Amino acid sequence: MTAILQAAPTPSRSVSLRLLGFSTGDMLQQALTSAFSELGYEARLTSAGFGTVVTELLEPPLDLPDVIAIQVDPAGLIKRDWRLTTEDGERLFSQSIEMFLGALEEFSRKQSVQVLINSLPSPVSPSAGYLDPFHPDGAGYLVEVFNRRLGECVRTCSNVTIIDTDLAMAHIAPAKRSDPKLWFYGRVPYSMEATRALAVAFAKAYLARKSKPIKVLALDLDNTLWRGIYGEDGLQGIECGDDFPGNAFRAFQNECLRLKSQGLLLTVLSKNDEDVLEVFDAHPGMALRREDIVAHRINWEPKAQNIRALADELGVGLDSFLFLDDSPHEREAMRRLAPEVRVPELPEDPALRIDFLRNHQPLWPLRLTAEDRSRSELYVVQSKGRALKSQVASINEYLAGLGQRLSVEPMRPETLPRVAQMHARTNQFNLTTLRLTEAELSSQMADEDGHTVLLGRLSDQFGDHGIVICASVRRTGSHAEVATFLMSCRVIGRQVEFAFLDALLTHLVANGVEHVTASCLPTQKNTPARDFFEKAGFALERRTDTDLGPETYWQWRKDTHRQPGSDFISVEGIG
């Protein structure tokens, strides 16, 4: 049996978890306790009787846990009456999975509890022989239908995570993933080893939801992106291309491009002279180009010092970085001198690095938005703005030269994931730090009479920054309360918040609002937002001092207070 980890830390945190399933979950419950413990969590587990999944989702208990874990398995989910015709069998199967997935969608819409569910594993015993993958009587066909429908369902359920069972059990031979004796003796769907692997995958998926996402790859150059040392071998001596061993390095670069397409920023940390960048421009085997790199530090200073400079330049924390370097010495130095940076053990053999990147779970996206896919370009636009700022004499001259345009619009289904992502991730300019979920925002979007959710897209002379600001407002007659107001740290200091608030107030007044209240609740990170309402012309209603700073409550009246606005931003759309 494969151990989960080499050494188990003493659990320092706890999580409540309820296990649902279509078959017996006792063995998985025990394995989950161990798997969560290995990751530093004490799991407080309860289990519903098997076969009660739909009932539990439609009528959940009042004391909901932190996590709902749903174990699905072929024997428990796929029940075929062979006296029925193929058409009737397929129809009944479709009805049963639609009932289950409909209950899952309903639960996700109403609750913000994290849900973990595994896919059905590929079958090892066909029920339609050679026709199994594509005939409605085939076990492979039915598994594929369920997994596809589960994936379609989860696209609209932001609090649901699918665990790929085949991937979780990849190290176990398919025939060893189930034990017929365990099934017939006690309706236990998976073997002991497979159950442990599934439990580990559940625990890691929970941890991925709790952990801060990796935003930046910090890449070494020599013997990491290519084989050879540029300073000694020169451009012609670099090995990267279609032939061995350069093909492994080119494949690694393509993996970096894949991660870039999923929202990660690519940066370079290299002990070299800066003319090493000519490799990106001139070497015919390179998959990466200079424009793929959003920032770099190429010098002879310690890499821990340089990564701090990159963090400042990009406006992200050190805990957003993953550092990839072939040198054990550099990896250890980074761990000691910048412990917040995540530093995995990059395989020594370049041929193994591609699978390493694909299987490194901290890099797996939980959600992909349009902004994620274009994040690298957004940061390039931002860097051009910083370059302009360094050239002008005053902040007003800088803002006037940007040519900023803010488009304000209501949140729609297609922009809902990005707005939910901002609520989950934004810390610095976040006035209340209320983390509205996708389900909660969706509910507000549907309640047009009681809620307003607006977002703003920013562009300037250098390009499009995407959705950078949003707010959620509760409305009751002529009164409105700002529940959330948050903005990307990429555009702090550009008066976007004042232009957006002006548009928000104009929209509210046009809909009969005369009195607006708002609050700013202090956290360790939201200092840049604390004087916002004062600068915007709101009146202080009351103030409460806390250890983190003052909680402040503000009001604005149509007839007595000015609207903020900005002379440097043109606003279109709602306003």
Side-chain angles (χ1 to χ4, degrees), residues 463-485:
D464 189 354
H465 294 268
I467 298 171
V468 297
I469 193 166
C470 60
S472 166
V473 179
R474 290 187 285 265
R475 301 193 326 271
T476 306
S478 63
H479 173 254
E481 178 189 2
V482 179
T484 65
F485 193 106

Side-chain angles (χ1 to χ4, degrees), residues 181-495:
K181 289 185 178 180
L182 286 175
W183 173 254
F184 288 111
Y185 289 165
R187 291 183 63 91
V188 177
Y190 299 110
S191 67
M192 185 176 294
E193 185 180 8
T195 299
R196 283 177 57 84
L198 191 59
V200 171
F202 272 108
K204 287 184 175 180
Y206 171 76
L207 187 63
R209 286 272 184 178
K210 299 290 288 183
S211 300
K212 185 167 183 177
I214 292 170
K215 298 179 180 179
V216 189
L217 287 187
L219 300 162
D220 176 48
L221 295 180
D222 293 333
N223 291 316
T224 299
L225 288 188
W226 55 70
R227 182 173 182 176
I229 300 174
Y230 173 80
E232 297 178 3
D233 304 319
L235 181 66
Q236 302 305 318
I238 297 299
E239 293 185 89
C240 179
D242 296 327
D243 300 322
F244 180 82
N247 54 359
F249 289 93
R250 182 180 173 87
F252 181 80
Q253 291 184 30
N254 273 314
E255 286 304 303
C256 293
L257 285 173
R258 174 183 63 82
L259 293 169
K260 176 194 170 191
S261 76
Q262 294 173 356
L264 269 73
L265 304 177
L266 305 185
T267 65
V268 163
L269 284 179
S270 177
K271 289 184 176 177
N272 252 304
D273 293 323
E274 193 155 334
D275 62 355
V276 70
L277 290 173
E278 75 162 332
V279 177
F280 290 94
D281 303 325
H283 197 288
M286 292 286 288
L288 287 172
R289 295 300 180 206
R290 191 189 295 234
E291 57 267 25
D292 296 314
I293 308 301
V294 299
H296 60 78
R297 287 297 182 275
I298 300 172
N299 53 43
W300 300 98
E301 300 299 326
K303 292 188 177 182
Q305 175 181 318
N306 281 330
I307 206 168
R308 294 181 190 279
L310 282 178
D312 289 341
E313 178 179 341
L314 297 173
V316 299
L318 287 175
D319 55 358
S320 298
F321 280 83
L322 185 80
F323 176 60
L324 298 177
D325 197 304
D326 70 293
S327 167
H329 166 75
E330 294 289 359
R331 294 197 298 266
E332 186 60 25
M334 186 66 75
R335 293 188 186 106
R336 291 178 178 272
L337 299 176
E340 305 94 329
V341 176
R342 280 170 270 195
V343 187
E345 282 297 296
L346 192 67
E348 183 177 355
D349 187 342
L352 302 179
R353 294 175 184 172
I354 294 85
D355 283 344
F356 163 77
L357 277 186
R358 293 202 167 196
N359 289 298
H360 192 61
Q361 292 184 2
L363 291 171
W364 290 3
L366 290 165
R367 197 84 168 157
L368 282 176
T369 67
E371 276 70 19
D372 291 324
R373 291 187 287 272
S374 61
R375 180 165 287 118
S376 186
E377 289 73 18
L378 296 177
Y379 272 82
V380 170
V381 170
Q382 181 187 359
S383 68
K384 291 178 180 177
R386 285 194 301 268
L388 172 64
K389 189 174 183 179
S390 68
Q391 297 168 10
V392 298
S394 70
I395 185 64
N396 286 350
E397 183 183 346
Y398 161 65
L399 293 175
L402 280 174
Q404 297 180 93
R405 300 173 299 280
L406 181 68
S407 176
V408 181
E409 63 189 65
M411 181 182 69
R412 297 184 175 88
E414 61 268 23
T415 52
L416 170 61
R418 169 58 179 165
V419 174
Q421 184 185 66
M422 289 184 68
H423 277 78
R425 293 185 178 182
T426 305
N427 294 305
Q428 289 183 297
F429 202 99
N430 190 334
L431 293 162
T432 62
T433 63
L434 178 62
R435 308 292 187 184
L436 294 177
T437 66
E438 196 163 321
E440 290 167 328
L441 286 164
S442 180
S443 177
Q444 292 185 10
M445 182 172 58
D447 180 20
E448 295 181 358
D449 294 331
H451 286 87
T452 294
V453 185
L454 298 185
L455 58 90
R457 304 173 186 268
L458 184 70
S459 60
D460 58 30
Q461 66 163 309
F462 299 112
D464 189 354
H465 294 268
I467 298 171
V468 297
I469 193 166
C470 60
S472 166
V473 179
R474 290 187 285 265
R475 301 193 326 271
T476 306
S478 63
H479 173 254
E481 178 189 2
V482 179
T484 65
F485 193 106
L486 47 143
M487 181 176 69
S488 169
C489 62
R490 300 198 310 269
V491 295
I492 288 177
R494 296 176 58 164
Q495 298 192 7

